[in-house]
C-alpha cells in the first residue's frame, strides 16, 4: 500500500508534469487577460469576457473536440504549428497540457482579476508621481500587491489541470506514458472488473494531491498577504 | 512662475480655473470641500487629464491641449503628499523613502538630511502598517522630497490627524519652506493652517477661482467674506517681533500703527510674524478705555460694515497709519453697533485680548517680504 506500482508512478508524474507545464504557460496569458478585463475598457469587452469563461461552462468533451479541430495535425492552427515549428499537440503529453491549460484558464483569470481589482490604484498613482513609469509601477507595486491572487490562480489552475479528464481524453486520447494521466488511469481501472483495490489507491492518491495543493496554497497565501499588507 | 489654466468636466461638476502663483513659498488652495482643490493638484501632477488648457511650471510646459503636450506623471518632477499618505504597504519605511530617490541623481536632498529634518530615524526598518498617522505623513513627506521635486503638492496633509498631531507636523512643513526653499502647493480648508504656513492664497468657489493674492489682503476683503468663512471671520496682519518682556512672559510685535502683545515667542528679534485675529476676539470702544485688563488697544476708525446677519454684524476697522492701513475685522452685536452709533469714518479703539492669540494664530513668514 505504501509503495506505488510503476504504472501509478507513471500516471502520477505525468499528471504533475502536465499540471506544472500547463500553469507555467497559461499563467502569463491569464494575467494579461485579467489585466485587460480589470483595467481596460474597449468595445467587445463582454464578448472577450464570455469567450474566456466558455471552458468553465462548456462540456469538457466539447472543449476537447474544439481543440482537436483547431490543434489536430490537420487543424487550422495545428497544421501551421507543425509546418513552421515542427510542434504538434496531437496525441502526446503537450496536447494534454494544452487541454488542461485551456480548461483551467478561466479559473486563473477570475482569481487574478479579483485580486487585481482589489489593488488600490491610488498607490500606483503615488508610484507614478515618484517617477516610476507604467512598467515599473506594475512590477514594483501592482504585481507584488496582487501576488496572493497570482498564487491562488496558479494553485487553482494546477489542481484543475491535474484533475482534467473530459477535454484531455477527447483531444489526445488515452496513451500510456503520454496522455494517461491519473484521472484517465482511474477511469480505465473503473472499466476493468475486479480492480476495486487499484481504483481506490488511485482515487486516494488524487485526493491527496488535491488536498496538498489546496492546503499548501492556503498557508502560503496567508503569509504572502500578511507580507504585502506589511502586518508580518 | 506656475501657471494653471484648465477646464475639466467631472460629471455635474465643472472645473474652470485660470491663475498664476509664484514659484517660491507656500501657495494655499482654499475652499469648501468639493470646490475642486484636489482636482487642481491632480491635474498638476498628471493624475487627472484636463479637457482643455495649459499647465506651466517654471519654464517647462507640463500640459498644453492646443499643442498636444501631456507629460506623464513620472516626468513632471512634482512631489505629491496625499491626504491618506499612500505609503506602499509591502515596502519598509526606508524602501518607501528611497522609491523615488533614483530620479534625483546628484544634487537632490539625501536620505540622512531628510530623515533628520523629519525625525524619522527610528522608523526606517518598520513597515507602514505599524506607524501612527503622524509618522505615516512624515514618511510620505520624506518620500516625496527624496524624489527631488521642483514643486511639492500637499493635499490636506494634516486633515486625517488629530489636533495634537497637526501641531506636531506643522513645524516640519515650516522647515521645508524655510530650509529647503521648496515651493509648495498646499490644499486645505483650515484657515489657521493658512495663517501659519502660507504666503499666497488661491480662493476657490464652485470650481472657479474667486480670488488670488496675499493672505493678509484676501482675508480683509469685504466681498470675500462668505468664502473666507462666516465662522472663521478674521483678519491677518503682518508684524515684526520687536521685543520680549521676560518678567511677564510676553513678546511685543509691531505693525504700522501700534504694538501687539502676545505670549512669549521663541524667535529672534526682527522675525516677521503673521497674526490672525478673529473678528469675535475684537472689542470696540468709542473712548480710550481705562481700568481694563486688555493690554492691546489700538486707535483707529470704522471703514465699513457688512450687512447684519441675525443679531451680529461684522465691521472693518483701520488701525494702521495714513500711509499703511491695517484692516481688522470686528464682530459685535447689532445692538452694540447702534448704541455706539458706529458708522464709516467714526473714530474708535479696537481691543484685542492677548490670551485670544494662541500659537495657532501666529505664523512666521519670509522676512524679505516685509516692506
Amino acid at each position: 500500500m505504501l509503495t506505488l506500482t510503476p504504472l501509478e508512478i507513471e500516471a502520477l508524474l505525468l499528471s504533475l508534469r502536465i499540471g506544472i507545464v500547463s500553469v507555467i504557460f497559461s499563467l502569463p496569458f491569464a494575467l494579461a487577460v485579467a489585466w485587460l478585463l480589470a483595467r481596460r475598457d474597449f468595445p467587445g469587452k463582454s464578448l472577450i469576457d464570455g469567450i474566456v469563461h466558455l471552458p468553465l461552462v462548456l462540456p469538457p468533451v466539447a472543449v476537447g473536440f474544439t481543440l482537436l479541430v483547431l490543434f489536430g495535425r490537420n487543424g487550422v492552427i495545428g497544421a501551421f504549428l507543425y509546418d513552421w515549428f515542427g510542434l504538434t499537440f496531437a496525441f502526446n503529453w503537450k496536447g494534454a497540457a494544452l487541454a488542461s491549460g485551456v480548461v483551467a484558464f478561466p479559473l486563473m483569470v477570475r482569481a487574478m482579476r479579483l485580486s487585481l481589482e482589489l489593488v488600490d490604484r491610488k498607490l500606483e498613482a503615488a508610484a507614478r508621481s515618484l517617477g516610476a513609469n507604467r512598467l515599473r509601477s506594475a512590477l514594483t507595486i501592482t504585481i507584488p500587491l496582487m501576488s496572493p491572487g497570482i498564487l491562488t490562480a496558479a494553485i487553482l489552475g494546477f489542481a484543475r489541470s491535474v484533475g482534467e479528464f473530459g477535454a484531455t481524453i477527447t483531444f489526445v486520447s488515452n496513451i500510456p506514458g503520454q496522455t494517461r494521466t491519473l484521472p484517465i488511469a482511474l477511469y480505465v481501472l473503473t472499466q476493468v472488473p475486479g480492480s476495486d483495490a487499484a481504483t481506490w489507491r488511485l482515487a486516494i492518491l488524487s485526493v491527496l494531491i488535491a488536498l496538498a495543493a489546496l492546503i499548501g496554497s492556503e498557508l502560503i497565501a496567508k503569509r504572502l498577504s500578511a507580507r504585502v499588507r506589511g502586518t508580518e | 512662475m506656475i501657471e494653471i489654466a484648465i477646464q475639466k468636466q467631472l460629471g455635474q461638476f465643472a472645473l474652470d480655473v485660470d491663475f498664476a502663483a509664484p514659484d517660491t513659498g507656500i501657495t494655499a488652495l482654499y475652499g469648501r470641500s468639493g470646490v475642486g482643490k484636489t482636482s487642481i493638484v491632480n491635474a498638476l501632477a498628471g493624475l487627472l487629464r484636463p479637457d482643455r488648457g495649459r499647465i506651466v511650471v517654471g519654464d517647462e510646459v507640463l500640459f498644453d491641449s492646443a499643442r498636444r503636450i501631456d507629460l506623464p506623471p513620472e516626468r513632471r518632477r512634482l512631489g505629491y503628499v496625499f491626504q491618506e499618505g499612500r505609503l506602499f504597504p509591502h515596502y519598509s519605511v526606508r524602501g518607501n523613502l528611497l522609491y523615488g530617490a533614483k530620479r534625483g541623481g546628484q544634487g537632490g536632498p539625501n536620505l540622512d538630511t531628510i530623515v533628520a529634518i523629519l525625525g524619522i530615524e527610528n522608523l526606517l526598518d518598520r513597515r507602514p502598517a505599524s506607524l501612527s498617522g503622524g509618522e505615516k505623513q512624515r514618511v510620505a513627506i520624506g518620500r516625496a522630497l527624496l524624489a527631488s521635486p521642483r514643486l511639492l503638492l500637499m493635499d490636506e496633509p494634516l486633515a486625517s490627524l488629530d489636533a495634537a498631531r497637526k501641531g506636531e507636523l506643522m513645524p516640519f512643513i515650516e522647515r521645508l519652506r524655510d530650509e529647503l526653499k521648496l515651493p509648495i502647493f498646499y490644499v486645505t480648508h483650515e484657515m489657521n493652517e493658512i495663517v501659519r504656513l502660507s504666503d499666497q492664497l488661491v480662493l476657490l468657489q464652485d470650481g472657479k477661482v474667486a480670488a488670488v493674492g496675499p493672505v493678509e489682503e484676501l482675508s480683509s476683503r469685504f466681498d470675500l467674506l462668505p468664502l473666507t468663512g462666516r465662522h472663521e471671520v478674521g483678519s491677518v496682519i503682518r508684524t515684526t517681533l520687536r521685543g520680549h518682556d521676560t518678567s511677564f512672559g510676553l513678546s511685543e510685535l509691531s505693525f504700522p500703527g501700534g504694538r501687539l502683545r502676545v505670549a512669549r515667542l521663541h524667535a529672534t528679534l526682527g522675525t516677521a510674524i503673521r497674526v490672525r485675529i478673529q473678528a469675535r476676539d475684537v472689542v470696540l470702544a468709542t473712548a480710550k478705555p481705562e481700568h481694563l485688563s486688555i493690554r492691546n488697544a489700538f486707535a483707529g476708525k470704522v471703514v465699513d460694515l457688512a450687512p447684519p446677519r441675525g443679531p451680529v454684524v461684522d465691521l472693518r476697522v483701520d488701525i494702521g497709519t495714513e500711509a499703511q492701513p491695517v484692516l481688522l475685522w470686528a464682530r459685535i452685536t447689532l445692538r452694540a453697533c447702534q448704541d455706539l452709533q458706529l458708522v464709516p469714518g467714526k473714530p474708535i479703539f479696537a481691543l484685542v485680548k492677548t490670551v485670544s492669540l494662541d500659537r495657532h494664530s501666529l505664523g512666521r513668514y519670509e522676512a524679505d517680504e516685509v516692506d
Side-chain angles (χ1 to χ4, degrees):
Chain A
M1 186 71 196
L2 287 171
T3 50
L4 299 172
T5 67
L7 273 177
E8 284 166 350
I9 292 177
E10 184 189 84
L12 173 66
L13 291 181
L14 184 64
S15 278
L16 293 179
R17 175 165 59 166
I18 287 171
I20 291 168
V21 167
S22 76
V23 166
I24 289 176
F25 279 89
S26 53
L27 194 74
F29 292 105
L31 178 59
V33 169
W35 197 291
L36 214 61
L37 292 177
R39 290 293 174 83
R40 296 271 166 229
D41 265 318
F42 51 91
K45 182 170 165 177
S46 345
L47 185 67
I48 298 287
D49 201 7
I51 292 172
V52 165
H53 281 88
L54 265 187
L56 204 59
V57 288
L58 276 182
V61 177
V63 175
F65 178 70
T66 311
L67 287 174
L68 197 57
V69 170
L70 292 175
F71 287 90
R73 186 69 65 80
N74 300 317
V76 189
I77 307 171
F80 167 81
L81 288 175
Y82 185 69
D83 292 346
W84 286 85
F85 304 104
L87 180 68
T88 178
F89 289 106
F91 307 112
N92 60 28
W93 72 270
K94 290 175 218 153
L98 175 66
S100 306
V102 167
V103 172
F105 197 75
L107 289 174
M108 300 167 74
V109 170
R110 286 180 76 86
M112 288 192 284
R113 181 181 177 174
L114 259 175
S115 68
L116 181 56
E117 279 167 353
L118 289 176
V119 170
D120 188 356
R121 301 201 66 176
K122 291 174 169 179
L123 292 177
E124 297 168 11
R128 300 289 300 281
S129 81
L130 290 164
N133 58 24
R134 275 180 200 283
L135 182 65
R136 181 166 176 235
S137 144
L139 292 180
T140 58
I141 307 297
T142 322
I143 293 201
L145 288 179
M146 66 180 288
S147 58
I150 297 178
L151 177 82
T152 306
I155 299 291
L156 220 53
F158 173 77
R160 182 69 187 84
S161 292
V162 170
E164 219 302 303
F165 174 76
T168 310
I169 200 164
T170 312
F171 182 32
V172 290
S173 184
N174 164 24
I175 302 162
Q178 278 293 333
T179 67
R180 182 178 289 177
T181 58
L182 269 185
I184 292 177
L186 189 57
Y187 172 73
V188 170
L189 280 178
T190 60
Q191 304 300 304
V192 180
S195 55
D196 282 6
T199 313
W200 268 115
R201 285 166 62 94
L202 278 188
I204 291 170
L205 195 57
S206 305
V207 170
L208 289 180
I209 294 177
L211 270 183
L214 293 175
I215 294 174
S217 84
E218 191 59 31
L219 291 177
I220 305 175
K222 254 190 195 148
R223 291 207 51 180
L224 215 52
S225 36
R227 252 193 92 73
V228 299
R229 282 199 311 266
T231 49
E232 189 189 56
Chain B
M1 225 29 179
I2 296 155
E3 297 166 52
I4 299 168
I6 50 170
Q7 292 167 9
K8 173 80 182 175
Q9 192 71 36
L10 295 158
Q12 292 290 307
F13 176 75
L15 181 71
D16 183 356
V17 294
D18 185 350
F19 65 93
D23 46 14
T24 56
I26 298 184
T27 299
L29 300 182
Y30 177 81
R32 302 216 174 92
S33 47
V35 295
K37 306 185 292 277
T38 301
S39 299
I40 294 174
V41 283
N42 278 343
L44 255 166
L47 301 177
L48 175 79
R49 179 179 302 164
D51 298 333
R52 271 175 307 284
R54 205 172 122 82
I55 299 172
V56 184
V57 172
D59 49 12
E60 189 167 7
V61 179
L62 303 185
F63 179 85
D64 189 339
S65 56
R67 286 163 58 199
R68 295 186 169 274
I69 295 174
D70 183 11
L71 284 189
E74 65 268 22
R75 288 179 47 207
R76 296 195 176 198
R77 286 216 301 118
L78 305 178
Y80 199 151
V81 178
F82 301 90
Q83 187 175 342
E84 345 77 320
R86 298 197 194 177
L87 298 181
F88 305 135
H90 56 306
Y91 280 80
S92 65
V93 166
R94 187 193 307 274
N96 269 283
L97 288 170
L98 292 174
Y99 189 88
K102 283 179 192 138
R103 183 167 69 178
Q106 284 102 23
N110 72 37
L111 183 66
D112 297 340
T113 317
I114 297 296
V115 163
I117 289 184
L118 296 170
I120 48 179
E121 297 92 338
N122 301 327
L123 309 179
L124 288 177
D125 294 319
R126 306 234 317 248
R127 289 294 196 93
S130 70
L131 303 181
S132 71
E135 289 169 337
K136 278 183 190 159
Q137 265 333 41
R138 273 186 275 164
V139 174
I141 293 172
R143 183 178 70 172
L145 291 175
L146 282 163
S148 319
R150 53 184 152 188
L151 169 69
L152 188 64
L153 309 171
M154 303 184 101
D155 184 9
E156 308 209 25
L158 307 180
S160 58
L161 307 178
D162 57 48
R165 295 290 152 288
K166 277 184 196 180
E168 240 176 63
L169 216 57
M170 284 233 233
F172 291 117
I173 300 174
E174 284 176 318
R175 289 186 69 180
L176 303 186
R177 178 193 62 190
D178 300 338
E179 291 175 27
L180 300 178
K181 305 283 178 209
L182 187 67
I184 298 176
F185 260 52
Y186 191 97
V187 170
T188 183
H189 59 255
E190 296 282 343
M191 205 55 179
N192 59 28
E193 287 174 24
I194 291 178
V195 175
R196 178 96 184 254
L197 299 171
S198 60
D199 311 298
Q200 189 82 4
L201 183 58
V202 177
L203 215 51
L204 295 160
Q205 185 184 27
D206 302 333
K208 294 187 174 50
V209 175
V212 184
V215 177
E216 301 79 11
E217 196 184 304
L218 296 196
S219 66
S220 65
R221 258 177 59 185
F222 214 42
D223 54 324
L224 300 175
L225 199 53
L227 295 183
T228 42
R230 192 80 203 170
H231 300 290
E232 294 206 61
V233 176
S235 37
V236 178
I237 62 177
R238 291 183 165 199
T239 68
T240 310
L241 181 58
R242 280 293 175 232
H244 297 301
D245 180 352
T246 38
S247 50
F248 289 105
L250 295 174
S251 292
E252 251 188 17
L253 306 173
S254 78
F255 62 94
R259 290 190 165 213
L260 187 66
R261 285 176 193 83
V262 298
R264 178 83 153 88
L265 287 171
H266 295 280
T268 49
L269 295 185
T271 305
I273 305 282
R274 202 168 15 222
V275 186
R276 175 173 157 81
I277 301 173
Q278 300 228 34
R280 59 165 190 240
D281 293 331
V282 176
V283 175
L284 297 182
T286 44
K288 184 158 175 81
E290 285 167 5
H291 318 298
L292 271 184
S293 68
I294 296 183
R295 297 296 95 192
N296 297 313
F298 311 109
K301 59 178 193 293
V302 175
V303 177
D304 46 18
L305 292 82
R309 285 239 314 211
V312 300
V313 59
D314 295 322
L315 300 84
R316 278 198 308 181
V317 298
D318 181 1
I319 55 170
T321 59
E322 194 85 23
Q324 290 176 295
V326 173
L327 294 172
L328 202 62
W329 281 107
R331 171 171 291 185
I332 58 175
T333 62
L334 199 53
R335 174 82 197 263
C337 185
Q338 282 180 2
D339 287 352
L340 296 178
Q341 294 170 333
L342 297 179
V343 289
K346 179 153 180 128
I348 45 90
F349 288 88
L351 296 85
V352 180
K353 274 188 84 160
T354 294
V355 293
S356 70
L357 305 174
D358 62 6
R359 209 159 60 89
H360 295 299
S361 323
L362 306 170
R364 225 174 277 192
Y365 66 100
E366 286 293 304
D368 56 19
E369 288 173 30
V370 188
D371 14 43

